[in-house]
Amino acid sequence: MWRWVRQQLGFDPPHQSDTRTIYIANRFPQHGHYVPQKFADNRIISSKYTVWNFVPKNLFEQFRRVANFYFLIIFLVQLMIDTPTSPITSGLPLFFVITVTAIKQGYEDWLRHKADNEVNGAPVYVVRSGGLVKTRSKNIRVGDIVRVAKDETFPVDLVLLSSDRVDGSCHVTTASLDGETNLKTHVAVPETAVLQSVANLDKLVAVIECQQPEADLYRFVGRITISQQIEEIVRPLGPESLLLRGARLKNTKEIFGVAVYTGMETKMALNYKSKSQKRSAVEKSMNSFLIIYLIILLFEAILSTILKYAWQAEEKWDEPWYNGKTEHERNSSKILRFISDFLAFLVLYNFIIPISLYVTVEMQKFLGSFFIGWDLDLYHEETNQRAQVNTSDLNEELGQVEYVFTDKTGTLTENEMQFRECSINGIKYQEVNGKLTPEGFSEDSPDGNMHSLMKEEELFLKAVCLCHTVQINADQTDGADGPWHANGIASPLEYYASSPDEKALVEAASRVGVVFTGTSGDSMEVKSLGKPERYKLLHVLEFDPNRRRMSVIVESPSGEKLLFTKGAESSILPRSKSGEIDKTRVHVDEFALKGLRTLCVAYRRFTPEEYQEICKRLHEARTALQQREERLADVFNFIERDLELLGATGVEDKLQEKVQETIEALRLAGIKVWVLTGDKHETAVSVSLSCGHFHRTMNILELVQHKSDSTCAEQLRQLAKRIKEDHVIQHGLVVDGTSLSLALREHEKLFMEVCKNCSAVLCCRMAPLQKAKVVRLLKTSPEKPITLAIGDGANDVSMIQEAHVGIGIMGKEGRQAVRNSDYAIARFKFLSKLLFVHGHFYYIRIATLVQYFFYKNVCFITPQFLYQFFCLFSQQTLYDSVYLTLYNICFTSLPVLIYSLFEQHVHPHVLQSKPVLYRDISKNAHLGYKPFLYWTILGFFHAFIFFYGSYLLMGEDTSLLGNGQMFGNWTFGTLVFTVMVITVTMKMALETHFWTWINHFVTWGSIVFYFIFSLFYGGIIWPFLHTQDMYFVFVQLLSSGSAWFAIILIVVACLFLDVVKKVLYRHLQPTSTEKAQLTETSSGINCLDSMCCFSDGETACTSVRRMLERLMGRCSPTRVNRSWSSSDPFYANDRSILTLSTMDSPTC
């Protein structure tokens, strides 16, 4: 604990240098003054709180909210000075809100603690004192030798020492880290690979030097120094030697490894990314409204204080005969009295700020997010995946999207690659029935027979079979010579690959006669037309996004040293010096125009002298501890030159289902779609046309292949001019990565102007960070549009995190995008329902919730302000303190919460089949200052009617009881409060379009509960209360017929004008949504009276009911008769959990 405190304060930094030295089995030097480095223990901590810091830390976080802090100040003021209301009126609601939030956050953190304890307490085996010792995961130290068995996960980051295989290799799946289900091969250095027993490992004397922990999963730089008798052997360590915590051992009986990074310093822990705090537009509006109401509160408090002293300027009101001042009051400072009075008025009016708004919004978001996961229309049966919500804070933002940025591969397409064509030595080939057929030859042509593979064709297919990272299912490797088809071609081998392209190419090669049959030690085995060949794998030059290629150096059976390279044509063709370069370039462009993904394949022969030079350079670069990546890049570039081009491949990635319809629906909804992809220009344009992103009638503008600022700027000016001249035509823009970099450097404004005038934009050859830059560019533009990014791969994570809303696709490129997203769906087509239905509903619900809260608090506190004019601003409260406390907590909270969970103002099917309705809620239309002003004025208007209506009916003649007894001030206040509770609840009922039994229960139940509570509260003398002001007040009020008349009259007067306004607006200025409601009522969905139902479906009040339905757009879900035809577009079989079960009228 003390060490942790010192580290937090900076007195004891955990790492003193850029590298760490690890003595295997913790055999430290016995001589000299060696001071061991301090490393973290192996405990994983994902929790936020501890038992000791939960209360202070949670309270600090909660009181950072303006509303909570404000009510804390009010509570403290009530404790310090004499105020008109009890401190309980502010303290109890504050305590309730703080407690509910703390319980929710505490429960979530308890679950994290529970998960941490399971992980930290897992049993592991460690080599100590010459034997295997069983211990807990949290007890592993850096330097310990750990044993891991098949199918177990690695408890720490380990450097592989040995496995049950002679060559020291093992297979690992990193699905839990990056989602890749393929098997990755890791290898130990030869000197430790032979130490396969605990006894031999216990004798190992070695030191590992490596970099300090960093988050990059694919980067590791280190070296191991092994002491053997009198010599020391130094070997390089790279990512291929590091086994990451969280990965799982596969197809290997057991391995031994030494712990290098433990606990929160493992790469998995360093990749725990706390979600960036994205704030929705609704939350920003809420804070703005809160400030406006604070200003109203201060104005009312200052005005009341000034009027009090203006009134007391007259002597008769300053000290009336019935209320004389004490000597202390007469002698006190006027300034202090003014401040005290101001604070007292502040306390009196403080309920205009809705304290329970935040907790209600949090509950609405948390509970409402379950509907996305429950929605059967967002469930993908083939993969058994349902929609996933990673953050519920942005639900309503789904209804505000203006720009969608989407990846192409795996998002718009299936990421299921199928080999289609290839170009070998300048000749195009297609695969026909397991044969490579040159273009122009028929299927049965003898030249198409695979037995006549030419030398170039065979070399090309061998290059495809040797240059890859494909693995074979271990259960089949022993049987590679097993079942073959009669012609000796096809193999039953099952391949695994991190890249779907590689898998498709290796499978295609096996179908046409050249089969990769697996690896054995450092050899790769290939069968060419049934004849086995063994190639020794000498070096692998790994793929990286900068080089955009990968290579292998192998020794052929004849002893030749060969380099095989494959990669993007932009990285292979410039490095090729021979072969059919021009013809291949033409073929690659043709493949791209068909929408195929292209790769070029080349090779190079090395002389013995060249190979010796390469080995020397590679060893120097790979053993370097500093700048290893840069040195390796230089060596790779030195090796991969003077290539001989063999050919190119074309692989098809099919479009996902309903992509075209979804993009068209997004366009109709007023959402602009940008496709950001790493693919080449021609491929991207072809896919954009096929998926409907670009229309055939669209004028496609290009900003590609620019090398200088001047040419880029000139092209941008020409495009802007052309758009202005052809403003009637729709334009599409194509930009590549290099041109985009130039455009963003100095011509950002001009580039944005061109983009905004285009209906669709396609950015190709994009690096991951460029994707994020484009999103940020739109996001921070003057219009501040709401952006959504959707992708499926690790290269989309930066874009997903940058956008206002990030959506991950559960595809084949791993789970990194899903883990870092706000929402995750299985297919791109689900985006339409997520936005048009869920987004629309969430926005409407929360917009009404926020404004209704402010409205009902204005209704609540304005009569209190008006009452001061009738009591000489003496700070007398109009309501009893219990009513003050329970108004927001009990009497009016549930109807709006249930509304915000279940409201459906339009049927989900209508919303999805009419995307144009999405435009009605865009640009925060329901939470702008105009609707906010309407709700605020409505609140003041209703409050005036509550107060003055009660005053006019009772003020002149207060003897309304049968026995001649007079009403008092508490009776008057209770009457105002009763009218208010009924009116604001009925107002919520007027706003509700979708009635469930829960709505009926909480709406009418809230009013009934208020009456029962008031009768109970006022019918008993409570011994713990200082005063019994409310004793029998409510009973007397209800015993007066005049009071009942006043209640009914005032409620009707308040709501009548609201109904008239709704009716007039619906008939004179209906929105698209209101028109859809009327269409829904008349032709698609018939709403029946919920009170009475006859066998023929007619009701006793049919004509009245029809008129009201037309006017109010009202619908009861239990009386719905749907008549959607199967030909209706977009999900005719609506299985949404949002749509409750229906009942036709005859079955009532």
Side-chain angles (χ1 to χ4, degrees), residues 117 248 296 309 443 454 456 475 495 638 653 720 723 759 771 944 979 1000 1024 1074 1101:
N117 290 337
R248 190 179 292 272
I296 293 172
Y309 283 92
E443 184 181 331
M454 292 184 289
E456 294 85 354
D475 298 332
Y495 295 112
F638 172 75
D653 190 3
I723 289 170
S759 303
K771 291 184 178 184
F944 272 78
V979 169
H1000 283 291
F1024 54 83
E1074 287 165 348
C1101 44

Side-chain angles (χ1 to χ4, degrees), residues 960-974:
L960 294 176
L961 297 174
N963 59 5
Q965 190 176 341
M966 296 176 70
F967 275 180
N969 67 312
W970 293 115
T971 312
F972 175 73
T974 304

Side-chain angles (χ1 to χ4, degrees), residues 450 481 484 487-489 513-515 526-533:
M450 69 94 182
D481 297 322
W484 289 76
N487 57 8
I489 304 168
V514 180
V515 185
V526 173
K527 279 191 175 180
S528 180
L529 305 180
K531 177 187 171 186
E533 293 181 8

Side-chain angles (χ1 to χ4, degrees), residues 459 463 466-467 538-541 547 549-556 560-566 575 601-606 611 614 618 636-644 646:
L459 186 60
L466 293 169
C467 185
L538 302 173
H539 297 284
V540 178
L541 280 55
R547 284 168 44 243
R549 59 185 180 271
M550 78 156 287
S551 304
V552 293
I553 300 175
V554 296
E555 183 179 323
S556 69
E560 263 189 311
K561 306 292 192 297
L562 300 171
L563 169 82
F564 290 113
T565 304
K566 78 165 187 291
R575 297 180 162 274
V601 183
Y603 84 113
R604 178 185 173 187
R605 287 185 168 88
F606 293 120
Y611 179 70
I614 285 167
L618 274 174
F636 288 173
N637 285 329
F638 172 75
I639 296 169
E640 295 165 332
R641 60 192 175 92
D642 301 335
L643 303 174
E644 186 173 335
L646 290 172

Side-chain angles (χ1 to χ4, degrees), residues 245-458:
R245 177 176 190 145
R248 190 179 292 272
L249 185 65
K250 288 284 188 183
N251 296 354
T252 310
K253 186 179 176 184
E254 66 175 11
I255 63 99
F256 290 94
V258 59
V260 288
Y261 303 130
T262 50
M264 298 308 290
E265 293 181 342
T266 58
K267 288 184 180 287
M268 183 181 79
L270 293 173
N271 273 277
Y272 285 156
K273 183 171 177 60
S274 56
K275 287 281 184 294
S276 55
Q277 290 300 311
K278 296 180 179 180
R279 292 174 66 219
S280 70
V282 169
E283 192 178 338
K284 293 170 188 172
S285 298
M286 210 160 73
N287 291 339
S288 304
F289 298 160
L290 208 63
I291 291 166
I292 292 169
Y293 271 68
L294 275 171
I295 293 167
I296 293 172
L297 170 66
L298 291 171
F299 171 75
E300 287 184 350
I302 292 168
L303 180 65
S304 298
T305 312
I306 293 169
L307 287 174
K308 177 179 180 176
Y309 283 92
W311 210 302
Q312 290 179 354
E314 292 184 46
E315 194 173 335
K316 65 174 182 176
W317 297 123
D318 183 35
E319 192 175 351
W321 61 269
Y322 57 82
N323 191 16
K325 291 183 180 179
T326 63
E327 195 63 33
H328 175 72
E329 286 174 333
R330 288 195 188 96
N331 297 330
S332 62
S333 164
K334 286 187 177 181
I335 295 172
L336 286 176
R337 269 190 292 159
F338 185 90
I339 293 170
S340 177
D341 283 326
F342 168 72
L343 290 174
F345 279 118
L346 206 64
V347 167
L348 193 65
Y349 304 147
N350 80 83
F351 283 96
I352 198 170
I353 306 296
I355 185 173
S356 54
L357 173 60
Y358 280 110
V359 74
T360 309
V361 166
E362 273 196 16
M363 287 172 69
Q364 189 270 343
K365 288 183 174 184
F366 175 70
L367 297 173
S369 63
F370 286 104
F371 287 114
I372 292 177
W374 291 338
D375 191 344
L376 293 176
D377 280 339
L378 302 183
Y379 170 72
H380 192 242
E381 292 183 20
E382 291 174 28
T383 55
N384 191 29
Q385 290 169 332
R386 59 186 179 89
Q388 184 178 314
V389 179
N390 296 329
T391 174
S392 59
D393 293 337
L394 302 169
N395 292 343
E396 65 277 7
E397 208 80 329
L398 293 169
Q400 295 295 294
V401 175
E402 295 171 63
Y403 282 87
V404 167
F405 298 92
T406 174
D407 177 41
K408 182 183 76 67
T409 306
T411 305
L412 299 179
T413 62
E414 289 283 6
N415 204 11
E416 281 184 6
M417 308 303 173
Q418 292 183 338
F419 176 80
R420 288 288 178 243
E421 296 183 64
C422 65
S423 170
I424 304 175
N425 200 31
I427 302 169
K428 271 207 292 188
Y429 291 82
Q430 291 179 329
E431 184 190 354
V432 180
N433 295 335
K435 303 172 188 176
L436 268 187
T437 308
E439 192 175 46
F441 284 82
S442 66
E443 184 181 331
D444 301 322
S445 170
D447 295 295
N449 193 298
M450 69 94 182
H451 290 292
S452 61
L453 282 177
M454 292 184 289
K455 182 183 176 184
E456 294 85 354
E457 294 168 354
E458 190 175 356

